[in-house]
Amino acid sequence: MTEIIITGTGVPHLEPGRAGPGVLVQHGKVRLQFDAGRATALRLVEAGVRVGQLSALFVTHHHSDHLTGLTDVLFARWLEAHGRFTPLPVIAPNGPATRFLERMMDPWVDDLLVRQEHVDRHDRPDPEVRGFDIADEPVVVWRHDSGVQVTARSVHHEPVMPAVGYRVDTPDGSVVISGDTMVCDEMAELAAGVDVLVHEAFRREALSPLFTEMPHLRHIAEYHADTVQLGALAQRIGVPRLVLTHLIPAPIAGGTTEHDFIDDVRRGGYTGEVTVASDLTRLTIG
Ligand SMILES: [Zn+2]
Ligand SMILES: [Zn+2]
């Protein structure tokens, strides 16, 4: 069985109960985390997964909301594994994300020195950075002899470049995690034939009346996935299950609801199963 757990459905703006973006995919002892927004380490342990059990972590792009929880993941993995620590492999497209990863623990050097001396320890929690170059074609970035494979594909989140989505294939089936992107043909190509598409969601129609008053919202709309267009894409490629996350705007009492997101993808023509994710939403495939 392959399990998908949404570890965070939030965005940069703080909302109660919504950790920063993240998705866990697990198949047996293979546990793969995609992005690590705020409170990811906490959500993982709430889901029954210790950060020391992660096989690898994948970064979709260098935007703070997808990375601010990573320091906590790395520290917890290191502190909980005294004497049996292995660095966390972190896979990311070469560029700003890998530059960030290489130096992200450096501001903690004074704390690390104190901790190392205090318990006579000589290792550090830094990630094992594995960068890859993106091309016009999908690229396999991780493989395991259990039959699990991860493929990356560049998507459209300009001006943030590079930005990728990931496809995970296991013996049970397949899932795509979009990262942040506009609705695009590259995502359609990556997600063709998968069992589950976990996609970011932006309700353009709900927010467009505010564009004049708040022009920055128009810029935000330019690099996120309009929910109506997303419904059309999901129908076109025939994906049976669509999971919406990275919800803009977040469903709140008296505001946008989960049903509004579902109505949007239905108006786009999608007839499959839709889940508007909450933190710790679980799905299985296989
Ligand atoms: Zn984001
Ligand atoms: Zn982003």
Side-chain angles (χ1 to χ4, degrees):
M1 188 177 78
T2 295
E3 192 168 26
I4 302 158
I5 301 174
I6 311 300
T7 58
T9 54
V11 295
H13 289 67
L14 290 157
E15 293 293 346
R18 295 193 187 273
V23 180
L24 177 77
V25 179
Q26 50 182 354
H27 171 79
K29 290 187 174 176
V30 174
R31 295 181 181 88
L32 307 176
Q33 176 68 26
F34 295 83
D35 285 335
R38 70 172 69 93
T40 293
L42 191 62
R43 287 290 182 270
L44 283 169
V45 81
E46 288 167 352
V49 176
R50 310 301 306 194
V51 291
Q53 296 176 311
L54 292 179
S55 313
L57 189 146
F58 300 78
V59 175
T60 59
H61 65 296
H62 184 248
H63 246 167
S64 59
D65 54 316
H66 297 250
L67 291 165
T68 52
L70 182 54
T71 307
D72 206 17
V73 169
L74 297 173
F75 261 115
R77 184 180 174 101
W78 185 65
L79 291 164
E80 291 181 359
H82 189 88
R84 52 194 162 77
F85 171 71
T86 54
L88 179 62
V90 179
I91 292 91
N94 285 320
T98 48
R99 288 199 292 276
F100 167 80
L101 293 166
E102 294 284 1
R103 62 196 181 199
M104 65 178 287
M105 299 311 281
D106 291 348
W108 294 100
V109 63
D110 292 320
D111 175 42
L112 292 172
L113 285 172
V114 170
R115 290 182 187 276
Q116 286 169 326
E117 284 180 18
H118 185 59
V119 295
D120 191 26
R121 189 169 178 173
H122 305 287
D123 53 5
R124 279 177 43 127
D126 302 72
E128 181 194 314
V129 182
R130 300 185 189 173
F132 63 89
D133 290 322
I134 59 165
D136 287 338
E137 298 297 315
V139 54
V140 175
V141 294
W142 196 84
R143 254 198 201 102
H144 189 262
D145 54 18
S146 63
V148 179
Q149 175 174 293
V150 181
T151 305
R153 179 76 170 97
S154 62
V155 292
H156 288 286
H157 192 46
E158 291 87 352
V160 181
M161 293 184 289
V164 302
Y166 290 104
R167 172 175 173 147
V168 187
D169 286 280
T170 80
D172 303 310
S174 49
V175 53
V176 160
I177 294 110
S178 72
D180 285 3
T181 179
M182 294 182 287
V183 173
C184 64
D185 289 341
E186 288 81 353
M187 182 52 55
E189 183 187 321
L190 186 67
V194 298
D195 297 289
V196 179
L197 172 58
V198 180
H199 208 290
E200 69 124 295
F202 183 99
R203 296 199 64 230
R204 185 184 177 97
E205 281 188 22
L207 293 167
S208 56
L210 305 173
F211 285 177
T212 306
E213 189 184 336
M214 293 187 274
H216 72 281
L217 281 178
R218 185 191 304 278
H219 298 297
I220 293 171
E222 283 169 359
Y223 65 7
H224 284 298
D226 171 62
T227 36
V228 179
Q229 290 181 28
L230 178 57
L233 175 137
Q235 184 68 15
R236 175 160 63 92
I237 64 174
V239 64
R241 187 157 191 186
L242 176 63
V243 179
L244 304 181
T245 188
H246 198 281
L247 304 170
I248 304 177
I252 52 168
T256 281
T257 68
E258 278 89 352
H259 289 296
D260 293 328
F261 280 89
I262 294 170
D263 287 347
D264 287 351
V265 296
R266 294 288 183 231
R267 277 192 294 122
Y270 185 59
T271 56
E273 188 176 349
V274 189
T275 301
V276 181
S278 304
D279 286 28
L280 299 180
T281 288
R282 284 177 186 252
L283 309 84
T284 56
I285 49 179

